[in-house]
Amino acid sequence: MMNIYFITAFPEILRIILSESMFRKASENGLISYHVWDLRDFTKDKHRQIDDTPYGGGAGMVLKPEPFFRAYDKLKEIIGKDSFKVICPSPQGDVFNHQMTLELAKESDLIFFCGHYKGIDERVINNLVTDEISIGDYVLTGGELSSLVIADAVIRHVPGVLNTYESAETDSFADEMLEGPIYTHPREYRTLKVPDVLLSGNHAKIDEWRYEQRLKRTKERRKELLKSKTGNDFGGKDG
Ligand code: ADE
Protein backbone atom coordinates (compact mmCIF):
# COMPACT_ATOMS: atom_id res chain seq x y z
CA MET A 1 0.00 0.00 0.00
CA MET A 2 1.34 3.40 -1.01
CA ASN A 3 0.49 6.43 1.12
CA ILE A 4 0.20 9.78 -0.61
CA TYR A 5 0.03 12.93 1.50
CA PHE A 6 -0.97 16.30 0.11
CA ILE A 7 -0.27 19.34 2.25
CA THR A 8 -2.33 22.13 0.76
CA ALA A 9 -4.16 25.40 1.34
CA PHE A 10 -6.95 24.14 -0.95
CA PRO A 11 -7.85 20.63 0.21
CA GLU A 12 -11.17 20.55 -1.67
CA ILE A 13 -9.46 20.70 -5.07
CA LEU A 14 -7.67 17.47 -4.22
CA ARG A 15 -10.58 15.72 -2.54
CA ILE A 16 -12.82 16.15 -5.56
CA ILE A 17 -10.33 14.68 -8.02
CA LEU A 18 -9.15 11.90 -5.71
CA SER A 19 -12.71 10.65 -5.32
CA GLU A 20 -13.18 9.88 -9.02
CA SER A 21 -12.04 7.40 -11.64
CA MET A 22 -8.65 5.67 -11.29
CA PHE A 23 -7.71 7.58 -8.12
CA ARG A 24 -10.88 6.36 -6.47
CA LYS A 25 -10.52 2.76 -7.63
CA ALA A 26 -6.93 2.57 -6.45
CA SER A 27 -7.99 3.55 -2.96
CA GLU A 28 -11.11 1.36 -2.93
CA ASN A 29 -8.91 -1.58 -3.89
CA GLY A 30 -6.62 -0.85 -0.95
CA LEU A 31 -3.61 -0.05 -3.14
CA ILE A 32 -3.22 3.65 -2.39
CA SER A 33 -4.25 5.66 0.62
CA TYR A 34 -4.66 9.44 0.28
CA HIS A 35 -4.20 11.90 3.10
CA VAL A 36 -5.21 15.47 2.35
CA TRP A 37 -4.00 17.83 5.03
CA ASP A 38 -5.11 21.44 5.29
CA LEU A 39 -2.09 23.68 5.72
CA ARG A 40 -4.16 25.94 8.00
CA ASP A 41 -4.45 23.12 10.52
CA PHE A 42 -0.74 23.58 11.17
CA THR A 43 -1.00 27.24 12.15
CA LYS A 44 -1.17 28.37 15.75
CA ASP A 45 -2.57 31.89 15.47
CA LYS A 46 -6.17 32.96 15.70
CA HIS A 47 -6.38 33.90 12.01
CA ARG A 48 -4.79 30.64 10.86
CA GLN A 49 -2.43 32.68 8.69
CA ILE A 50 -0.44 30.65 6.18
CA ASP A 51 1.08 33.40 4.04
CA ASP A 52 2.84 36.70 4.40
CA THR A 53 4.53 39.42 2.35
CA PRO A 54 7.98 38.70 0.88
CA TYR A 55 11.07 40.04 2.65
CA GLY A 56 12.79 42.57 0.43
CA GLY A 57 9.48 43.65 -1.07
CA GLY A 58 7.72 42.72 -4.28
CA ALA A 59 4.31 41.61 -5.37
CA GLY A 60 2.47 38.54 -4.14
CA MET A 61 2.33 36.55 -0.95
CA VAL A 62 4.66 33.79 0.21
CA LEU A 63 3.62 30.65 2.10
CA LYS A 64 5.13 30.76 5.58
CA PRO A 65 7.59 28.10 6.75
CA GLU A 66 6.09 27.14 10.14
CA PRO A 67 3.00 25.21 8.94
CA PHE A 68 5.15 23.12 6.57
CA PHE A 69 7.73 22.35 9.29
CA ARG A 70 4.98 21.32 11.69
CA ALA A 71 3.30 19.15 9.05
CA TYR A 72 6.69 17.56 8.36
CA ASP A 73 7.16 16.72 12.05
CA LYS A 74 3.80 14.99 12.03
CA LEU A 75 4.65 13.11 8.85
CA LYS A 76 7.88 11.87 10.42
CA GLU A 77 5.92 10.56 13.37
CA ILE A 78 3.32 8.83 11.24
CA ILE A 79 5.64 7.40 8.61
CA GLY A 80 8.15 6.35 11.25
CA LYS A 81 11.15 6.91 8.98
CA ASP A 82 13.73 9.68 8.82
CA SER A 83 13.78 9.91 5.07
CA PHE A 84 10.95 9.98 2.56
CA LYS A 85 10.22 11.80 -0.67
CA VAL A 86 8.82 15.28 -0.27
CA ILE A 87 7.85 16.66 -3.64
CA CYS A 88 7.29 20.33 -4.27
CA PRO A 89 5.74 20.94 -7.67
CA SER A 90 7.14 24.18 -9.05
CA PRO A 91 8.23 25.71 -12.35
CA GLN A 92 11.77 25.78 -10.89
CA GLY A 93 11.96 21.98 -10.67
CA ASP A 94 13.28 19.21 -12.93
CA VAL A 95 10.87 18.62 -15.78
CA PHE A 96 8.68 15.59 -15.09
CA ASN A 97 8.99 12.57 -17.36
CA HIS A 98 8.22 8.86 -17.69
CA GLN A 99 11.42 7.73 -15.97
CA MET A 100 10.53 9.81 -12.91
CA THR A 101 7.09 8.17 -12.72
CA LEU A 102 8.77 4.75 -12.52
CA GLU A 103 11.17 5.85 -9.78
CA LEU A 104 8.45 7.47 -7.68
CA ALA A 105 6.19 4.42 -8.05
CA LYS A 106 8.71 2.43 -5.97
CA GLU A 107 8.18 4.60 -2.89
CA SER A 108 5.89 3.57 -0.05
CA ASP A 109 5.16 7.18 0.92
CA LEU A 110 4.93 10.26 -1.26
CA ILE A 111 4.43 13.70 0.15
CA PHE A 112 3.36 16.72 -1.89
CA PHE A 113 3.88 20.21 -0.56
CA CYS A 114 1.55 22.33 -2.66
CA GLY A 115 2.72 25.88 -3.16
CA HIS A 116 0.46 28.78 -3.96
CA TYR A 117 0.66 32.51 -4.55
CA LYS A 118 4.30 33.50 -5.13
CA GLY A 119 5.63 30.25 -3.72
CA ILE A 120 6.90 28.69 -0.50
CA ASP A 121 9.54 30.14 1.85
CA GLU A 122 12.92 28.85 0.61
CA ARG A 123 13.79 27.34 4.01
CA VAL A 124 11.09 24.74 3.40
CA ILE A 125 12.49 23.95 -0.07
CA ASN A 126 16.08 23.72 1.17
CA ASN A 127 15.47 21.71 4.31
CA LEU A 128 12.39 19.55 3.80
CA VAL A 129 11.77 19.12 0.09
CA THR A 130 13.65 16.29 -1.64
CA ASP A 131 12.34 16.76 -5.19
CA GLU A 132 11.25 19.95 -6.93
CA ILE A 133 9.32 18.90 -10.02
CA SER A 134 7.94 21.00 -12.86
CA ILE A 135 5.19 19.65 -15.08
CA GLY A 136 6.18 21.96 -17.93
CA ASP A 137 7.43 25.37 -18.92
CA TYR A 138 4.45 27.44 -17.92
CA VAL A 139 3.22 28.79 -14.61
CA LEU A 140 0.16 27.49 -12.79
CA THR A 141 -1.53 29.27 -9.92
CA GLY A 142 -0.70 26.56 -7.43
CA GLY A 143 0.75 23.13 -6.86
CA GLU A 144 -2.55 21.28 -6.40
CA LEU A 145 -3.16 20.45 -10.03
CA SER A 146 0.48 19.63 -10.68
CA SER A 147 0.56 17.32 -7.62
CA LEU A 148 -2.44 15.51 -9.05
CA VAL A 149 -0.79 15.25 -12.46
CA ILE A 150 2.31 13.72 -10.89
CA ALA A 151 0.31 11.41 -8.61
CA ASP A 152 -1.86 10.24 -11.52
CA ALA A 153 1.16 9.37 -13.65
CA VAL A 154 2.88 7.60 -10.73
CA ILE A 155 0.08 5.42 -9.40
CA ARG A 156 -0.57 3.96 -12.84
CA HIS A 157 2.68 2.06 -12.26
CA VAL A 158 1.73 0.68 -8.88
CA PRO A 159 0.92 -2.99 -9.56
CA GLY A 160 -2.84 -3.62 -9.55
CA VAL A 161 -3.92 -0.02 -10.11
CA LEU A 162 -4.62 -0.51 -13.80
CA ASN A 163 -6.71 -3.47 -14.91
CA THR A 164 -3.84 -5.01 -16.75
CA TYR A 165 -0.31 -3.84 -16.23
CA GLU A 166 0.06 -4.15 -19.96
CA SER A 167 -1.88 -0.96 -20.45
CA ALA A 168 0.84 1.00 -18.65
CA GLU A 169 3.62 -0.88 -20.43
CA THR A 170 2.32 -0.01 -23.88
CA ASP A 171 1.80 3.64 -22.97
CA SER A 172 3.47 6.28 -24.99
CA PHE A 173 7.00 6.76 -23.58
CA ALA A 174 7.12 3.30 -21.99
CA ASP A 175 9.41 2.42 -24.87
CA GLU A 176 10.09 5.95 -25.98
CA MET A 177 7.52 5.93 -28.75
CA LEU A 178 4.17 7.65 -28.98
CA GLU A 179 1.03 5.57 -29.12
CA GLY A 180 -0.58 4.82 -32.44
CA PRO A 181 -4.21 5.29 -33.47
CA ILE A 182 -6.93 3.18 -31.87
CA TYR A 183 -10.50 2.46 -32.99
CA THR A 184 -13.67 0.93 -31.61
CA HIS A 185 -17.14 0.11 -32.90
CA PRO A 186 -18.81 0.89 -35.22
CA ARG A 187 -16.84 -0.39 -38.15
CA GLU A 188 -18.06 2.48 -40.28
CA TYR A 189 -19.44 5.81 -39.10
CA ARG A 190 -20.57 8.56 -41.48
CA THR A 191 -18.48 6.86 -44.17
CA LEU A 192 -15.41 6.92 -41.89
CA LYS A 193 -13.89 3.44 -41.83
CA VAL A 194 -11.72 1.49 -39.41
CA PRO A 195 -8.49 0.35 -41.17
CA ASP A 196 -9.01 -3.09 -42.77
CA VAL A 197 -5.98 -4.63 -41.11
CA LEU A 198 -7.58 -4.30 -37.66
CA LEU A 199 -10.54 -6.35 -38.84
CA SER A 200 -8.39 -9.03 -40.48
CA GLY A 201 -8.00 -11.25 -37.41
CA ASN A 202 -4.34 -11.71 -38.39
CA HIS A 203 -2.56 -10.81 -35.14
CA ALA A 204 0.94 -10.85 -36.51
CA LYS A 205 -0.13 -8.42 -39.19
CA ILE A 206 -1.97 -6.27 -36.68
CA ASP A 207 1.08 -6.09 -34.39
CA GLU A 208 3.26 -5.12 -37.31
CA TRP A 209 0.81 -2.44 -38.43
CA ARG A 210 0.57 -1.03 -34.90
CA TYR A 211 4.35 -0.87 -34.58
CA GLU A 212 4.64 0.92 -37.92
CA GLN A 213 1.97 3.41 -36.93
CA ARG A 214 3.71 4.20 -33.67
CA LEU A 215 7.02 4.64 -35.42
CA LYS A 216 5.50 6.86 -38.11
CA ARG A 217 3.75 9.07 -35.59
CA THR A 218 6.83 9.36 -33.40
CA LYS A 219 8.97 10.29 -36.41
CA GLU A 220 6.47 12.92 -37.48
CA ARG A 221 5.78 14.46 -34.08
CA ARG A 222 8.61 13.68 -31.67
CA LYS A 223 11.67 12.63 -33.63
CA GLU A 224 13.95 13.30 -30.68
CA LEU A 225 12.40 10.42 -28.71
CA LEU A 226 13.70 7.92 -31.26
CA LYS A 227 17.09 9.58 -31.20
CA SER A 228 17.46 8.93 -27.48
CA LYS A 229 16.56 5.27 -27.96
CA THR A 230 18.62 4.28 -30.97
CA GLY A 231 21.30 6.90 -31.31
CA ASN A 232 20.14 7.73 -34.81
CA ASP A 233 17.50 10.02 -36.17
CA PHE A 234 14.84 7.55 -37.10
CA GLY A 235 15.06 4.24 -35.28
CA GLY A 236 13.22 1.18 -36.52
CA LYS A 237 13.71 -0.73 -39.73
CA ASP A 238 14.26 2.13 -42.14
CA GLY A 239 16.65 3.79 -39.69
N1 ADE B 1 3.22 25.22 -9.96
C1 ADE B 1 3.11 26.33 -10.71
N2 ADE B 1 3.58 26.12 -11.93
C2 ADE B 1 4.02 24.84 -11.98
C3 ADE B 1 4.61 24.03 -12.98
N3 ADE B 1 4.90 24.48 -14.19
N4 ADE B 1 4.92 22.77 -12.65
C4 ADE B 1 4.68 22.30 -11.43
N5 ADE B 1 4.12 23.01 -10.45
C5 ADE B 1 3.78 24.27 -10.72
Side-chain angles (χ1 to χ4, degrees):
M1 152 97 75
M2 178 191 266
N3 284 288
I4 308 184
Y5 299 83
F6 300 90
I7 322 304
T8 170
F10 296 90
E12 277 316 301
I13 298 179
L14 293 142
R15 288 193 187 118
I16 289 166
I17 309 281
L18 295 173
S19 61
E20 296 285 346
S21 186
M22 176 197 61
F23 279 122
R24 178 202 189 117
K25 274 192 224 138
S27 102
E28 283 176 352
N29 293 337
L31 300 165
I32 316 277
S33 186
Y34 310 113
H35 312 267
V36 179
W37 290 2
D38 189 335
L39 194 57
R40 285 190 179 77
D41 290 344
F42 297 92
T43 56
K44 291 195 168 163
D45 61 305
K46 194 169 84 198
H47 301 290
R48 293 165 47 93
Q49 188 184 349
I50 52 168
D51 59 349
D52 211 333
T53 52
Y55 273 117
M61 298 293 270
V62 180
L63 288 173
K64 290 163 66 59
E66 307 95 307
F68 284 104
F69 274 85
R70 292 190 197 114
Y72 186 88
D73 290 342
K74 187 170 167 193
L75 285 164
K76 243 166 64 175
E77 244 177 72
I78 292 176
I79 296 172
K81 284 195 268 182
D82 272 339
S83 98
F84 40 81
K85 290 264 183 211
V86 179
I87 298 163
C88 179
S90 122
Q92 279 72 246
D94 296 328
V95 179
F96 195 46
N97 63 26
H98 178 70
Q99 192 52 41
M100 289 154 95
T101 66
L102 298 178
E103 291 303 317
L104 293 174
K106 295 177 193 156
E107 298 289 323
S108 57
D109 303 275
L110 287 182
I111 291 85
F112 289 95
F113 278 4
C114 304
H116 234 272
Y117 314 113
K118 266 322 259 182
I120 304 178
D121 187 287
E122 193 67 18
R123 288 166 288 188
V124 174
I125 311 295
N126 287 342
N127 296 287
L128 307 181
V129 169
T130 58
D131 299 67
E132 264 189 289
I133 299 178
S134 167
I135 62 162
D137 288 339
Y138 43 82
V139 179
L140 300 170
T141 319
E144 284 73 20
L145 295 175
S146 25
S147 295
L148 288 166
V149 167
I150 296 167
D152 181 309
V154 169
I155 70 169
R156 301 177 81 256
H157 297 291
V158 172
V161 167
L162 297 186
N163 291 339
T164 51
Y165 192 66
E166 197 213 6
S167 45
E169 278 175 341
T170 59
D171 277 353
S172 291
F173 304 112
D175 54 7
E176 296 171 27
M177 281 215 278
L178 301 182
E179 281 201 61
I182 51 167
Y183 297 87
T184 186
H185 303 266
R187 206 173 168 137
E188 185 171 337
Y189 180 67
R190 297 190 177 189
T191 77
L192 303 171
K193 291 188 179 128
V194 171
D196 286 338
V197 60
L198 295 176
L199 311 171
S200 69
N202 181 337
H203 287 284
K205 240 178 146 177
I206 292 173
D207 285 349
E208 191 184 336
W209 181 84
R210 283 188 171 147
Y211 180 82
E212 280 165 7
Q213 293 295 312
R214 298 186 74 193
L215 188 58
K216 177 167 173 278
R217 187 171 275 189
T218 312
K219 269 187 205 174
E220 283 167 4
R221 300 182 187 181
R222 296 291 304 277
K223 227 175 177 181
E224 78 283 5
L225 293 176
L226 295 171
K227 224 176 190 173
S228 68
K229 182 182 182 184
T230 61
N232 66 38
D233 263 354
F234 299 103
K237 295 174 209 132
D238 50 348

